[in-house]
Amino acid sequence: MLRPACRPLLLPAAPRAARAGRVAVALAAASAALAGCGDPGPAAPPNVLLVVVDTLRADHTSLHGYPRDTTPNLAAFAEGGLVFERARASSSWTKPSTASLMTGLSAAQHGVEQEDGRLPDAAATLAEVLWASGYRTGLFSDNPFVSRGFGFAQGFEHVYDYASREIARPSGETYDLSDAGAVRKDELADWKHRAGAPAIDRELLAWLASIPESEPWFAHVQYMEPHWPYAPPPPFDAKFTDAPIRRSELPNLWGVATGFAGAERGTEVGEAERQRLVDAYDAMVAYWDDCFGRLVAQLESWGRLRNTIVVVTSDHGEGFFEHGVWAHQNSLYEELVRVPLVIRGPGIASGRIARDVASMRVVGTLLALTGHDARDLGAGGTLLDEDAPAWQARLERDGRTLVATLDRGRKWIFHRWEDGARVEAFDLARDPDERLDRAPALSDHGERLRARVERELALERESGLARAAARIGDDTREALRALGYAE
């Protein structure tokens, strides 16, 4: 049964003013004249469109040389922009990674690392900074985690998410931002009936049509394609196969044991079944790319891209048993943390940057491009800073903590659990698939590096935000299990 169309949640003036005031205090001062700050740019402040494609691994895109032409529209769009060839996310699943994209904080600092984790109200977000500076702000999310119930609507005056299907406040009715409501079962149990990219795009376009061209805007769009379940519509269901892909014939990716790096292997399936999963995933990537191409064409026809900075990235990738695990939220190998990252817009030269970068620096980059100080949020700095601290990623699950970082040309992954530890090291230049663990030959350096990383993380936790949790009942917990995010 199809669910009713989502309705946007419009936040009334009073909460908006209060939130804007809190942001102004947190930042000390918001920029009063965007066009006069930073490098010379357009007379009007640029619009910002942040596109996050859930579960899109970089090496399955045409942008990064994948043999299948999965993302021709993204590749064409990127020709006019800046491509970061080695961008990595802050974690290997949606909530911590997206929280970092919104705040510029590491996972250890913002603390949104568990299924019931909620972005704390004390967090200052990119949307809040731009909102306080006079931008119109809109969140369009098809991911049930990136929603009001988990605190991700902070700074957005217009919200289109799962919860909006059931709750839409009449104009002028008081809406208490300090209590955005409990996460309800239907927000997650019906995730397979998500609106889909075409509906998300229609809502975005309708919102933009309501904004005068003289007003700057910021839109964060969070697509669920190509997240499981892979159900590519025709003609994409046969794009990379001889016969159309039927979801009922695929192994249930969340039904098998997905495994956890360093703890247990997932359920091994035959190569033909594995390839069928890859085929379906690639088809979903191609479907999203087609939708993206249509959206770009529409925005260009309206002239809405002339003064708009567009960022396209992902929150994490997807694993297909390369390291004995499936799906995501279970390792920090490259297939899960390396993501596409493209920035295109006024004042941005086209080209490619091969340097390792952390996607959480998108925040500082967008602050700088909109005339703000890149240090206003998170760790500060931009994607172009050559002296930026090394990328790090974190994952906490089932009493285990994984931390990955780059050091001396190698990628290190530190595993720790209650009564044990493990270290891995890979030379990505010679071993991009992370097959040969070099840690045993580098044990002394590995232990010193581990100690340093743990000290840094302890400081980040100590100086970070107090943890917040959403109110999740047993029914929602069951829905999370169906989604594959809880045991």
Side-chain angles (χ1 to χ4, degrees), residues 156-364:
F156 291 104
E157 61 176 313
H158 182 105
V159 177
Y160 176 84
D161 65 357
Y162 261 62
S164 303
R165 296 184 178 191
E166 300 294 334
I167 297 177
R169 301 295 196 257
S171 176
E173 183 178 339
T174 299
Y175 183 75
D176 184 1
L177 280 171
S178 67
D179 183 11
V183 180
R184 299 185 314 282
K185 178 178 179 180
D186 61 279
E187 294 180 35
L188 294 173
D190 292 335
W191 68 288
K192 61 186 177 183
H193 300 303
R194 57 187 180 261
I200 292 290
D201 291 345
R202 285 194 299 271
E203 291 293 327
L204 170 65
L205 292 171
W207 178 69
L208 290 177
S210 72
I211 299 176
E213 292 194 15
S214 59
E215 295 187 33
W217 52 267
F218 165 54
H220 177 148
V221 184
Q222 190 101 7
Y223 295 102
M224 275 295 274
E225 294 86 1
H227 193 288
W228 174 268
Y230 312 139
F236 299 94
D237 58 347
K239 184 173 179 62
F240 302 117
T241 59
D242 295 332
I245 295 168
R246 293 181 175 83
R247 192 173 72 191
S248 61
E249 298 175 354
L250 295 174
N252 184 349
L253 189 59
W254 289 115
V256 302
T258 55
F260 191 80
E264 71 276 345
R265 288 172 65 86
T267 302
E268 190 162 5
V269 302
E271 179 56 32
E273 290 179 298
R274 177 189 176 278
Q275 185 58 51
R276 198 67 168 161
L277 285 167
V278 173
D279 294 341
Y281 172 84
D282 288 346
M284 287 298 291
V285 173
Y287 171 58
W288 167 80
D289 180 78
D290 182 73
C291 294
F292 176 70
R294 295 172 189 271
L295 175 64
V296 169
Q298 184 64 67
L299 292 173
E300 287 180 336
S301 72
W302 286 4
R304 285 289 194 168
L305 291 185
R306 281 196 298 267
N307 189 32
T308 299
I309 299 164
V310 181
V311 176
V312 183
T313 189
S314 178
D315 51 356
H316 58 79
E318 189 81 316
F320 293 103
F321 216 69
E322 292 91 342
H323 292 89
V325 295
W326 297 101
H328 49 272
Q329 198 198 12
N330 49 19
S331 82
L332 295 177
Y333 297 116
E334 290 291 273
E335 60 266 23
L336 291 196
V337 297
R338 187 165 167 249
V339 294
L341 178 55
V342 177
I343 300 182
R344 173 176 160 175
I348 301 172
S350 61
R352 286 180 172 258
I353 292 181
R355 186 174 65 253
D356 297 300
V357 299
S359 65
M360 62 182 281
R361 287 188 170 265
V362 165
V363 169

Side-chain angles (χ1 to χ4, degrees), residues 338-397:
R338 187 165 167 249
V339 294
L341 178 55
V342 177
I343 300 182
R344 173 176 160 175
I348 301 172
S350 61
R352 286 180 172 258
I353 292 181
R355 186 174 65 253
D356 297 300
V357 299
S359 65
M360 62 182 281
R361 287 188 170 265
V362 165
V363 169
T365 306
L366 290 176
L367 285 174
L369 290 170
T370 54
H372 295 78
D373 191 327
R375 297 167 295 181
D376 277 349
L377 288 179
T382 75
L383 291 163
L384 298 180
D385 295 340
E386 295 188 10
D387 59 348
W391 160 83
Q392 283 190 11
R394 269 177 58 88
L395 173 63
E396 284 192 2
R397 179 182 164 192

Side-chain angles (χ1 to χ4, degrees), residues 392-421:
Q392 283 190 11
R394 269 177 58 88
L395 173 63
E396 284 192 2
R397 179 182 164 192
D398 301 337
R400 290 175 176 262
T401 301
L402 274 65
V403 179
T405 192
L406 300 172
D407 181 78
R408 297 187 182 182
R410 297 183 179 90
K411 176 180 172 182
W412 294 79
I413 304 177
F414 303 108
H415 306 244
R416 185 174 290 282
W417 56 98
E418 184 177 1
D419 56 354

Side-chain angles (χ1 to χ4, degrees), residues 417-433:
W417 56 98
E418 184 177 1
D419 56 354
R422 178 185 175 192
V423 180
E424 293 179 288
F426 302 98
D427 183 344
L428 295 181
R430 300 178 181 179
D431 179 26
D433 296 327

